[in-house]
Amino acid sequence: MRVLVTGGAGFIGSHVVSALGEHGHEAVVFDVREDPGADVRDRAAVRHALAGVDAVCHQAAMVGLGDGVSDAAEYVSHNDLGTAVLLAAMAESGVRRLVLAGSMVVYGEGRYECRRHGVVRPGPRTVTDLDAGRFEPPCPVCGAALVPGLVGEDAPADPRNVYATTKLAQEHLAAAWARCTGGSAVSLRYHNVYGPGMPRDTPYAGVASFFRSALARGEAPRVFEDGRQRRDFVHVRDVAAANVAALEASSPEGTLTAYNTGSGDPRTVGEMARALAAAYGGPEPVVTGEYRLGDVRHITADSSRLRDGLGWKPEVGFEEGMAEFARAGLRGA
């Protein structure tokens, strides 16, 4: 299979390219890091890149929480306009297979249960509560403490920031393309991806990269809130393997199928920081109580649909992955 990988020189994209080669496929890299003319918003450039391609693995995106709404136009341009241009070119070129780099951010908060009211969906956390160190969202009905659980793909979408909104819009655009063309579209909703080759010292890197960059500078990782926020840290090689599995699978035509892509091993941010610092050799993390408005408290994946449907399973365990990441080099922005 000849696969166009947008963003193929980036963190996740480069691992996808390697995994495709290991499985006997030919990857065509389309990335502005390698060619300034390879902008996914450039319809002529995209059409040219699609020549002779069997499928597209769309990794190119502007990532991260961003800066409120001041950079909303830039996010929409890179993520949504770029996806729309790509899909239009695919429709013209007759390419009918798409795997999209989705994200768990489309859910907003994860799954919560109240002992009295069952499954509930708390709203965004308030500045007043966050300033007071009340980080756990309460039951929206009775105000009681909630028990976090695993979120499934059928949970309602509730994006809490501009980046999250653009990732949801990408899925809707892909679903519309699939309906119009009879193509098959898969969205892999990545959870917290980490591993060798993460970008360092950029506003858009993930929390694992922030901590690893601090350790490389001889500084203690700064853990926001109380460090007890739960995430699903999944290794980049496992994510790359999920992309290959999705490309090779026989997916339904005329629709988009979403798959959570996580390790299935929830950990707290503080736990991750401690494991990474220990593997690196210190210094110990510092819990600051700071917060970022728009962050969610707990979001962890139920990835059983991906395991059952595509036969994928994560291979890199938490301890093994953090030990490797502590030794691995980071890349520039």
Side-chain angles (χ1 to χ4, degrees), residues 261-309:
T261 308
S263 68
D265 182 18
R267 303 282 180 146
T268 68
V269 172
E271 187 178 4
M272 186 271 285
R274 291 189 296 273
L276 188 57
Y280 191 83
E284 286 290 313
V286 175
V287 177
T288 69
E290 299 171 88
Y291 64 85
R292 295 192 307 176
L293 196 63
D295 270 348
V296 298
R297 180 61 174 173
H298 303 295
I299 177 70
T300 53
D302 177 356
S303 297
S304 57
R305 178 185 290 181
L306 181 58
R307 294 171 186 248
D308 297 341

Side-chain angles (χ1 to χ4, degrees), residues 124-308:
R125 297 179 295 172
T126 67
V127 171
T128 299
D129 282 343
L130 293 169
D131 282 344
R134 294 189 292 268
F135 300 123
E136 294 287 347
C139 174
V141 181
C142 67
L146 299 174
V147 178
L150 301 181
V151 64
E153 292 89 350
D154 295 329
D158 185 15
R160 298 286 175 90
N161 53 60
V162 168
Y163 168 64
T165 303
T166 65
K167 296 305 291 183
L168 182 59
Q170 282 185 312
E171 289 193 354
H172 288 313
L173 288 166
W177 165 84
R179 285 193 296 272
C180 289
T181 65
S184 66
V186 166
S187 177
L188 298 175
R189 290 176 176 171
Y190 301 159
H191 282 248
N192 287 72
V193 186
Y194 74 96
M198 283 195 85
R200 65 174 179 269
D201 299 329
T202 82
Y204 305 107
V207 64
S209 176
F210 290 152
F211 293 165
R212 178 64 176 76
S213 296
L215 290 166
R217 296 191 301 268
E219 301 171 2
R222 295 176 61 82
V223 180
F224 280 14
E225 301 187 19
D226 58 5
R228 296 175 183 168
Q229 54 272 49
R230 287 159 48 98
R231 297 291 186 269
D232 186 317
F233 298 101
V234 58
H235 196 278
V236 66
R237 287 197 299 274
D238 287 332
V239 168
N243 276 271
V244 175
L247 286 163
E248 292 179 340
S250 177
S251 301
E253 297 178 355
T255 188
L256 177 140
T257 306
Y259 294 99
N260 284 335
T261 308
S263 68
D265 182 18
R267 303 282 180 146
T268 68
V269 172
E271 187 178 4
M272 186 271 285
R274 291 189 296 273
L276 188 57
Y280 191 83
E284 286 290 313
V286 175
V287 177
T288 69
E290 299 171 88
Y291 64 85
R292 295 192 307 176
L293 196 63
D295 270 348
V296 298
R297 180 61 174 173
H298 303 295
I299 177 70
T300 53
D302 177 356
S303 297
S304 57
R305 178 185 290 181
L306 181 58
R307 294 171 186 248
D308 297 341

Side-chain angles (χ1 to χ4, degrees), residues 52-142:
V53 161
D54 302 300
V56 173
C57 189
H58 185 29
Q59 305 293 317
M62 184 175 176
V63 301
L65 186 59
D67 184 21
V69 295
S70 64
D71 50 7
E74 193 173 2
Y75 272 94
V76 171
S77 176
H78 282 87
N79 297 355
D80 299 337
L81 175 60
T83 299
V85 169
L86 172 65
L87 293 171
M90 289 175 65
E92 293 175 358
S93 303
V95 180
R96 296 293 182 263
R97 181 175 291 274
L98 171 71
V99 174
L100 171 68
S103 176
M104 53 85 175
V105 295
V106 301
Y107 298 116
E109 287 285 353
R111 186 179 189 275
Y112 292 89
E113 284 194 38
C114 172
R115 289 183 172 85
R116 290 180 58 194
H117 298 100
V119 176
V120 295
R121 295 187 58 78
R125 297 179 295 172
T126 67
V127 171
T128 299
D129 282 343
L130 293 169
D131 282 344
R134 294 189 292 268
F135 300 123
E136 294 287 347
C139 174
V141 181
C142 67

Side-chain angles (χ1 to χ4, degrees), residues 321-332:
M322 287 298 157
E324 179 198 28
F325 185 44
R327 299 187 301 268
L330 300 177
R331 64 193 295 166

